[in-house]
Amino acid sequence: MLTKKPIIALILALVHALSGLTLLLVSSWFIAASAVAGVSFNYMLPAVIIRALALMRIASGYGEMWLSHHQLLESLAHLRLSLFNNMQGSTSVSRASDTDKLNYQSQDVASIWTGWINQNAGALLSLLLLTGFVLWQLVAFSVPWLIFLTMALLIYIWLIMSGLVLAQKKQQIRTSLESQIEHHFDAANIWHMQKNLQHPDASALYKNVQTNQVKIEWAISGLLILSLFCITLLVIKMNTLGNNTPIVMILPMALLGALDWFGRTFFSHHRLHDYIIGNKIINSNYSTISNSRVKDKIESIELKQFKPKGSASKELDITFAEQQLHLIAGSSGSGKSRLFKAIAGLIDFDGDLFLNSRSIKDKYNERKAESSFSDKCILDDVLYVEQTPYVLSGTLRQNLQLAQHSAHRNANSLIDDNKLIEVLKTVGLDQLSNLEQWVGSGGRQLSGGETKRLGLARAILSTKRYILLDEPFEGLDQQNIDKVVNVINSLTTSRCVIIASHIYPEGLNFDNKIDLDSY
């Protein structure tokens, strides 16, 4: 069905474009013919044809719009769920930065049919059919038309190629700006200490967008000038040949309407650019993530002279073993989150990390020769739950099933609903009993506490043996803190749980406490 719908929508788009162009040309011919026709001229038949073309244009337009958007939503849902499932194989199912980027990229990829292919296919087919008509019926006037055809296609191609260069620069600028904004707001608690505080500057992004808009305006102006020039050549040719038959009026009317049936495609080229870039990022980044995983079953993690790259924190020597609860304490800004990201493989680190008594650097050196292996080693048996877990715009069931490892996901092995409801009750989300309920953007907005407990529910459902929980108690009331404590204590019966927190609730049975402030 995902294959059939875009093809049917494309056919409807072609019918819509051709019926619109034919309507314009037949109408112009009819007006010219009526001016010179005698009393015997059959006015009824052209009028009926014009009405039929108008109805065909309206029907195909609405049909294409409905089918295209229906296909877009299906394709978008299919693509996003597939990619989110693939991301589940990495260390985290809740990284806001990755999932936000994935949101834009998947939308760019899924909307290529609706946003670019359908529109441009109709315009290019119209151009081809008009050329065939001119060479068949109006050979004497073919030179002005062929000049228009050649120059219009050159403008079309120039706009695509120059726009793609701008789009690539825009992606680089946006990525850099997102990183600057993220780090800027991460340091919000020390803004008051900076004398010359500089906020991230988005002027380069605005300038890029403005430059692209100027190029489109140039292309539109060029097409208009080209149309007027070719119309002038046509008029001169008509006077020279003395040919004033109504059928000749088709060409100047086609040229006068070129801004509508051909020029409007210029505004859609950014969809093609976004698709090319988004598809490249999805195919490279996420396949690279998949290939750079360390898939070993982890029985112990040992840090030696370990610290996140670029961090001002002291080097750590810690061993994390199975069925233990470790508490990483420290004040805000002490580096707890960066430590977790470094352990999970999301950012680089100095020192060494040993898996099952073997250095991860040895494993990296073994696989370094593989062209598909990236610089980072993501631990497949580790789940990192951020301070604010990401809520996928989808059903509650889909948000929970993200916790199931993609390598074992198929239609027959999904976690059953009874288990999902049981886990929701365990973490104190009894009020979210409707698994079909839409949450996230466009649905029920979860509170901060509910979002944290959703992340904890994913940790319970996950089969990964090492769970990293970043500030799981922050923002919760005492009743919910007690529930989270019970869940964490029970998790340690089969896994290793490492908590980063500046809150130390009573009843938390931790085996080891590492205070980064005094380490």
Side-chain angles (χ1 to χ4, degrees), residues 42 130 157 182 304 321 365 367 389 394:
N42 186 350
L130 276 171
I157 295 171
E182 181 180 357
K304 287 191 175 181
N365 289 331
R367 301 180 61 186

Side-chain angles (χ1 to χ4, degrees), residues 299-365:
E299 297 177 355
S300 67
I301 296 178
E302 184 178 1
L303 310 181
K304 287 191 175 181
Q305 297 182 325
F306 185 93
K307 72 172 184 176
K309 181 78 72 174
S311 173
S313 60
K314 295 182 179 179
E315 298 174 346
L316 300 177
D317 294 293
I318 312 171
T319 299
F320 303 110
E322 288 185 286
Q323 298 182 357
Q324 288 186 347
L325 176 59
H326 298 265
L327 175 62
I328 307 295
S331 58
S332 296
S334 59
K336 301 187 296 295
S337 297
R338 287 186 61 80
L339 175 62
F340 271 12
K341 291 178 181 179
I343 293 174
L346 301 175
I347 60 176
D348 294 327
F349 61 84
D350 294 320
D352 208 347
L353 184 149
F354 288 79
L355 298 179
N356 307 331
S357 302
R358 185 183 180 190
S359 170
I360 197 172
K361 292 183 177 180
D362 293 340
K363 180 169 287 294
Y364 170 74
N365 289 331

Side-chain angles (χ1 to χ4, degrees), residues 270-289:
H270 73 278
R271 299 283 191 179
L272 174 64
H273 303 148
D274 293 341
Y275 168 80
I276 293 173
I277 294 172
N279 195 52
K280 181 179 179 181
I281 292 174
I282 287 175
N283 289 335
S284 61
N285 286 11
Y286 296 108
S287 61
T288 299
I289 287 175

Side-chain angles (χ1 to χ4, degrees), residues 335-405:
K336 301 187 296 295
S337 297
R338 287 186 61 80
L339 175 62
F340 271 12
K341 291 178 181 179
I343 293 174
L346 301 175
I347 60 176
D348 294 327
F349 61 84
D350 294 320
D352 208 347
L353 184 149
F354 288 79
L355 298 179
N356 307 331
S357 302
R358 185 183 180 190
S359 170
I360 197 172
K361 292 183 177 180
D362 293 340
K363 180 169 287 294
Y364 170 74
N365 289 331
E366 287 179 359
R367 301 180 61 186
K368 190 174 182 180
E370 299 179 23
S371 59
S372 61
F373 192 66
S374 73
D375 292 336
K376 292 185 177 64
C377 298
I378 296 177
L379 307 185
D380 197 47
D381 208 13
V382 172
L383 176 66
Y384 170 43
V385 181
E386 289 184 322
Q387 295 185 36
T388 306
Y390 187 80
V391 180
L392 169 65
S393 181
T395 65
L396 182 60
R397 179 186 292 105
Q398 291 168 344
N399 271 276
L400 290 170
Q401 287 178 339
L402 288 175
Q404 194 168 7
H405 197 292

Side-chain angles (χ1 to χ4, degrees), residues 181-464:
I181 291 173
E182 181 180 357
H183 288 104
H184 185 65
F185 282 98
D186 283 346
N189 57 340
I190 59 171
W191 282 358
H192 63 283
M193 300 172 62
Q194 302 179 40
K195 294 181 179 179
N196 299 313
L197 181 63
Q198 296 288 332
H199 295 293
D201 184 6
S203 59
L205 182 63
Y206 297 142
K207 183 178 180 180
N208 180 280
V209 173
Q210 186 178 19
T211 301
N212 188 59
Q213 185 62 35
V214 169
K215 285 182 177 291
I216 295 175
E217 292 173 359
W218 286 352
I220 291 292
S221 300
L223 187 65
L224 177 59
I225 294 171
L226 176 63
S227 299
L228 295 176
F229 174 73
C230 291
I231 290 173
T232 302
L233 294 180
L234 277 173
V235 172
I236 295 173
K237 192 71 172 178
M238 288 169 63
N239 291 333
T240 302
L241 297 177
N243 188 341
N244 296 315
T245 56
I247 197 172
V248 178
M249 290 300 297
I250 288 178
L251 268 185
M253 292 303 296
L255 292 170
L256 283 174
L259 289 182
D260 177 61
W261 60 266
F262 188 72
R264 63 182 178 178
T265 61
F266 295 169
F267 296 96
S268 69
H269 290 335
H270 73 278
R271 299 283 191 179
L272 174 64
H273 303 148
D274 293 341
Y275 168 80
I276 293 173
I277 294 172
N279 195 52
K280 181 179 179 181
I281 292 174
I282 287 175
N283 289 335
S284 61
N285 286 11
Y286 296 108
S287 61
T288 299
I289 287 175
S290 176
N291 291 329
S292 63
R293 298 172 189 158
V294 175
K295 300 183 179 181
D296 297 11
K297 176 182 176 181
I298 301 176
E299 297 177 355
S300 67
I301 296 178
E302 184 178 1
L303 310 181
K304 287 191 175 181
Q305 297 182 325
F306 185 93
K307 72 172 184 176
K309 181 78 72 174
S311 173
S313 60
K314 295 182 179 179
E315 298 174 346
L316 300 177
D317 294 293
I318 312 171
T319 299
F320 303 110
E322 288 185 286
Q323 298 182 357
Q324 288 186 347
L325 176 59
H326 298 265
L327 175 62
I328 307 295
S331 58
S332 296
S334 59
K336 301 187 296 295
S337 297
R338 287 186 61 80
L339 175 62
F340 271 12
K341 291 178 181 179
I343 293 174
L346 301 175
I347 60 176
D348 294 327
F349 61 84
D350 294 320
D352 208 347
L353 184 149
F354 288 79
L355 298 179
N356 307 331
S357 302
R358 185 183 180 190
S359 170
I360 197 172
K361 292 183 177 180
D362 293 340
K363 180 169 287 294
Y364 170 74
N365 289 331
E366 287 179 359
R367 301 180 61 186
K368 190 174 182 180
E370 299 179 23
S371 59
S372 61
F373 192 66
S374 73
D375 292 336
K376 292 185 177 64
C377 298
I378 296 177
L379 307 185
D380 197 47
D381 208 13
V382 172
L383 176 66
Y384 170 43
V385 181
E386 289 184 322
Q387 295 185 36
T388 306
Y390 187 80
V391 180
L392 169 65
S393 181
T395 65
L396 182 60
R397 179 186 292 105
Q398 291 168 344
N399 271 276
L400 290 170
Q401 287 178 339
L402 288 175
Q404 194 168 7
H405 197 292
S406 60
H408 303 290
R409 287 195 69 157
N410 57 62
N412 299 320
S413 67
L414 293 175
I415 305 171
D416 65 74
D417 290 353
N418 292 331
K419 176 64 174 177
L420 298 179
I421 293 174
E422 178 186 341
V423 171
L424 288 174
K425 291 180 179 179
T426 301
V427 298
L429 292 176
D430 311 57
Q431 69 276 17
L432 300 178
S433 57
N434 180 11
L435 296 176
E436 289 295 326
Q437 183 176 22
W438 196 271
V439 295
S441 178
R444 185 189 188 282
Q445 298 297 311
L446 302 184
S447 66
E450 289 174 332
T451 302
K452 282 187 176 293
R453 282 175 281 158
L454 176 65
L456 186 60
R458 289 170 177 163
I460 297 173
L461 294 168
S462 170
T463 58
K464 301 193 177 187

Side-chain angles (χ1 to χ4, degrees), residues 325-329 499-501 503-504 508 510 512-515:
L325 176 59
H326 298 265
L327 175 62
I328 307 295
I499 300 172
S501 178
I503 301 174
Y504 322 130
L508 190 64
F510 52 86
N512 187 22
K513 177 181 177 182
I514 302 97
D515 192 342

Side-chain angles (χ1 to χ4, degrees), residues 70-85:
H70 196 271
Q71 181 269 335
L72 170 62
L73 293 175
E74 282 191 356
S75 177
L76 188 60
H78 178 78
L79 177 60
R80 284 181 176 175
L81 287 175
S82 298
L83 290 172
F84 270 106
N85 293 339

